[in-house]
Amino acid sequence: MRSFIFATLPARVIFGAGSLIQLPAELHALKAKRALVLCTPEQRGLAARVSDILGAAAVGIFDRAVMHVPVETAHEACQVARSLEADCAIAIGGGSTIGLGKAIALDSSLPILAIPTTYAGSEMTPIYGITEAGLKRTGKDLRVLPKTVIYDPELSLGLPVHMSVTSGINAIAHAAEGLYSHDGNPITKLLAEEGIAALGRALPQLKQHPQDPAARSDALYGAWLCGSVLGSVGMALHHKLCHTLGGTFNLPHAETHTIVLPHALAYNATAAPEAMSRIARALNASNAPSAVYDLAQQNGAPIALRDIGLKAQDLDRASELVMQNQYPNPRPLERAAIRALLQNAFDGVRP
Ligand code: NAD
């Protein structure tokens, strides 16, 4: 076995159907008495429910979380937190809402309690992103890692099937790249394989029965494990590609991950055989890239970048941008092969 370093990130996880009801006790454990609840406009009703559960311990709702955490929104939310003398922020929602919580924590060191309702995994990472003048600045800071995470599968019962599938494959992407990460270790590999297997079981089930409590529970459990991998080890080509495509061409986050992942895996396949066999084993298949592609296609997710807004003329620029910075990846970045990868993802070719 190779030498490795393993560091556990500090987080308290409460998992289980109905666990939202434990929120007052968890707030108390954080010694917080004045919580600001964060949400998107669409999830205002859920935030109001949280506020009702907390009673006087909820001092307000900020319902303007949006994708990519614009710096103006972050400033506004910080200002509201200050004016209400909040001593904690509760982020209920997907990666965008949790990202807003992280921006508040970065500014003020307020503790964040996260209640995820998608499978994106941000709640398990010390990674933040803030968008200013069209550019998303990302960084790592332990202050932004939520202190407590409540995973209540009942809160994702209404997540539409197409979002469940793409968000679930977004989570799988964290684990898949974790399996060939330059700083991976045996523990994160266990988490990754288990996380992929749980989502691989859950997504087809959710396609048939979106309200199936056991499948919702499996999917959230898988998302937790995959998010833990993202928080613990470095990502590679796939995440770089998605960051570029999302940031420069404004493509939707989870769909982009879903479409690109099979092609990024195909690119790295011969350089990362152990990772490929673990992914394939987790998905009960013989070939990792095509198994991920099939999981997406058979469950109704988009499989071509041209179907989510990328233009053919963007492909050259995208591959230029991806080539600009070299970073750890099992297979070195080769210009022509990256361009071919993007073309395949654009056309939705099965790898
Ligand atoms: P999102 O948070 O943008 O949510 C998309 C939409 O779905 C929103 O309108 C939201 O209100 C709605 N929604 C969320 N849960 C729902 C539910 N259960 N039922 C119905 N509607 C629901 O999407 P996302 O994919 O969760 O997050 C994407 C963002 O998170 C991106 O900006 C990405 O960069 C970021 N992210 C960050 C990290 C990190 O570690 N920093 C990790 C993953 C994702």
Side-chain angles (χ1 to χ4, degrees):
M1 185 179 285
R2 270 200 302 131
S3 310
F4 62 88
I5 295 175
F6 175 71
T8 311
L9 291 172
R12 177 175 162 81
V13 169
I14 291 84
F15 190 99
S19 54
L20 181 63
I21 207 66
Q22 295 183 44
L23 180 57
E26 290 306 319
L27 201 69
H28 184 70
L30 285 175
K31 300 190 171 42
K33 295 188 168 63
R34 300 181 60 81
L36 175 64
V37 184
L38 310 174
C39 63
T40 58
E42 298 81 13
Q43 290 185 291
R44 168 97 200 179
L46 195 52
R49 199 172 133 204
V50 164
S51 182
D52 287 348
I53 291 174
L54 288 176
V59 292
I61 295 177
F62 183 90
D63 66 0
R64 295 197 287 285
V66 285
M67 191 81 123
H68 301 314
V69 193
V71 70
E72 300 78 13
T73 312
H75 285 159
E76 242 184 282
C78 288
Q79 176 59 36
V80 171
R82 263 194 301 276
S83 68
L84 293 172
E85 295 177 21
D87 58 5
C88 165
I90 297 176
I92 183 153
S96 298
T97 305
I98 293 168
L100 179 62
K102 288 176 165 184
I104 295 178
L106 194 65
D107 177 76
S108 64
S109 296
L110 280 192
I112 304 302
L113 189 154
I115 311 174
T117 62
T118 70
Y119 306 133
S122 177
E123 66 282 354
M124 279 293 133
T125 86
I127 306 164
Y128 63 86
I130 298 175
T131 303
E132 185 158 18
L135 272 187
K136 191 164 181 178
R137 171 171 58 91
T138 57
K140 255 189 184 184
D141 192 314
L142 264 186
R143 281 179 305 161
V144 311
L145 182 73
K147 299 278 182 284
T148 306
V149 179
I150 297 182
Y151 282 112
D152 183 344
E154 285 181 0
L155 303 177
S156 52
L157 285 176
L159 187 67
V161 168
H162 74 275
M163 283 174 66
S164 303
V165 174
T166 55
S167 190
I169 296 177
N170 181 193
I172 288 177
H174 309 326
E177 288 229 298
L179 283 167
Y180 54 59
S181 172
H182 68 104
D183 58 357
N185 61 64
I187 316 301
T188 50
K189 287 179 185 178
L190 288 175
L191 295 174
E193 196 172 333
E194 173 77 356
I196 296 171
L199 281 155
R201 280 194 306 274
L203 298 184
Q205 186 63 20
L206 288 177
K207 169 88 177 355
Q208 299 302 321
H209 307 286
Q211 306 262 325
D212 179 355
R216 284 291 175 196
S217 191
D218 260 359
L220 201 58
Y221 166 68
W224 165 29
L225 301 185
C226 294
S228 303
V229 175
L230 175 68
S232 303
V233 302
M235 296 288 111
L237 175 66
H238 169 77
H239 280 73
K240 172 78 179 170
L241 280 166
C242 292
H243 187 80
T244 302
L245 291 167
T248 310
F249 305 102
N250 201 25
L251 300 188
H253 179 81
E255 285 90 336
T256 306
H257 272 273
T258 299
I259 294 168
V260 171
L261 185 60
H263 304 285
L265 294 181
Y267 184 94
N268 281 328
T270 47
E274 188 209 330
M276 295 304 137
S277 59
R278 280 180 180 261
I279 297 165
R281 185 168 61 197
L283 293 175
N284 247 330
S286 56
N287 178 286
S290 47
V292 173
Y293 181 96
D294 293 345
L295 185 66
Q297 190 189 38
Q298 289 166 8
N299 293 294
I303 41 119
L305 290 174
R306 69 166 157 226
D307 293 338
I308 61 163
L310 197 71
K311 301 273 171 290
Q313 60 266 30
D314 296 333
L315 290 171
D316 285 340
R317 172 139 171 76
S319 69
E320 281 304 314
L321 289 170
V322 171
M323 291 302 297
Q324 268 172 14
N325 302 313
Q326 293 286 331
Y327 46 86
N329 188 63
R331 176 178 166 191
L333 301 194
E334 298 158 22
R335 190 173 296 274
I338 293 289
R339 180 64 179 77
L341 180 171
L342 282 166
Q343 188 70 50
N344 287 336
F346 183 78
D347 293 328
V349 176
R350 184 175 188 264

